[in-house]
């Protein structure tokens, strides 16, 4: 075990989390940033850490990372948000910070783990106030496409979203719209 790891083990939970955030902020290494963000996402799984993570503004860090070009940082940040948003205080914060739009934008990621976390996070963020945005026609269309995915986990998750979070009318409207588009057909070349 390195001296740095031994030093971190001697810290209390809040101090340890603060040390991780400091490391994230000062390191130049993208690999180190990824590892730290993965650790923070794992800490976000335990409700004992919620207050500390709020105090240290980790929710803002996760939200900020959703727009990064590094797919791994986006994946871990979304995983952290997914872990945190089951808590009402965290959910309210994410909703008030415009997190729904940021999570919806992650539905177009090429990384399937990120997409599955985005779908799950949207389900967790659904409230009477956020339902309209979360089940907007483009999102429902997207879920219809995901429900046809060869990835069984993604297909099942999208099906749950469509059945449990959308009205039959919303699904039908999205199906009808999809029938009239050239989705999946390559555009002609010049």
């Amino acid at each position: 075990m390195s001296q740095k790891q031994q030093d971190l083990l001697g810290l209390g939970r809040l101090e340890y989390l603060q040390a991780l955030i400091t490391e994230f902020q000062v390191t130049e290494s993208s690999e180190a940033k990824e590892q730290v963000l993965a650790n923070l996402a794992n800490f976000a799984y335990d409700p004992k850490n919620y207050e500390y993570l709020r105090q240290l503004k980790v929710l803002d860090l996760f939200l900020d990372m959703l727009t990064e070009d590094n797919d791994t940082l986006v994946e871990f940040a979304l995983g952290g948000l997914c872990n945190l948003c089951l808590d009402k205080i965290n959910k309210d914060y994410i909703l008030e910070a415009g997190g729904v739009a940021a999570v919806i934008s992650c539905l177009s990621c090429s990384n399937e783990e990120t997409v599955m976390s985005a779908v799950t996070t949207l389900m967790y963020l659904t409230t009477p106030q956020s339902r309209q945005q979360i089940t907007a026609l483009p999102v429902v269309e997207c879920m219809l496409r995901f429900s046809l995915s060869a990835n069984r986990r993604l297909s099942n998750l999208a099906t749950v979203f469509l059945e449990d979070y959308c009205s039959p009318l919303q699904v039908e409207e999205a199906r009808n719209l999809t029938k009239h588009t050239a989705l999946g057909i390559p555009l002609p070349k010049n």
Side-chain angles (χ1 to χ4, degrees):
M1 185 180 292
S2 73
Q3 183 61 43
K4 183 177 177 182
Q5 288 172 320
Q6 287 175 352
D7 291 345
L8 288 175
L9 287 175
L11 297 176
R13 193 178 296 249
L14 178 62
E15 292 82 12
Y16 181 78
L17 291 168
Q18 178 63 67
L20 284 175
I21 292 165
T22 301
E23 183 178 347
F24 183 86
Q25 292 169 335
V26 300
T27 188
E28 297 294 322
S29 163
S30 60
E31 189 176 295
K33 281 188 182 294
E34 291 169 2
Q35 186 174 357
V36 170
L37 206 61
N39 286 331
L40 288 169
N42 285 335
F43 275 104
Y45 189 72
D46 187 347
K48 292 177 188 173
N49 296 319
Y50 289 169
E51 183 57 40
Y52 299 128
L53 295 170
R54 283 192 292 266
Q55 187 178 338
L56 296 169
K57 307 273 189 230
V58 173
L59 282 91
D60 291 321
L61 175 65
F62 287 155
L63 287 166
D64 289 344
M65 290 298 106
L66 295 183
T67 58
E68 284 294 310
D69 290 332
N70 180 324
D71 289 343
T72 304
L73 289 177
V74 174
E75 176 186 350
F76 294 148
L78 196 51
L81 286 173
C82 189
N83 288 339
L84 287 168
C85 69
L86 286 172
D87 175 78
K88 182 172 178 8
I89 296 170
N90 293 336
K91 177 191 291 195
D92 290 345
Y93 185 88
I94 293 164
L95 291 171
E96 289 171 21
V100 170
V103 173
I104 287 172
S105 72
C106 293
L107 293 172
S108 62
C109 289
S110 58
N111 179 331
E112 284 185 331
E113 291 300 320
T114 301
V115 171
M116 285 186 285
S117 288
V119 174
T120 304
T121 302
L122 289 173
M123 289 192 281
Y124 292 161
L125 289 174
T126 302
T127 66
Q129 296 76 27
S130 66
R131 181 174 294 277
Q132 185 176 359
Q133 183 181 12
I134 290 174
T135 62
L137 188 58
V139 176
V140 178
E141 282 184 280
C142 188
M143 295 302 164
L144 281 170
R145 287 194 307 276
F146 292 159
S147 72
L148 302 174
S149 172
N151 179 326
R152 201 51 142 164
R153 290 170 49 219
L154 179 56
S155 140
N156 289 342
L157 200 54
T159 300
V160 168
F161 183 95
L162 292 167
E163 291 176 357
D164 292 356
Y165 294 85
C166 303
S167 71
L169 182 62
Q170 287 175 304
V171 174
E172 189 58 35
E173 186 179 345
R175 272 199 181 102
N176 288 336
L177 190 62
T178 303
K179 286 179 188 176
H180 302 291
T181 64
L183 186 66
I185 299 172
L187 293 172
K189 294 190 177 177
N190 292 340

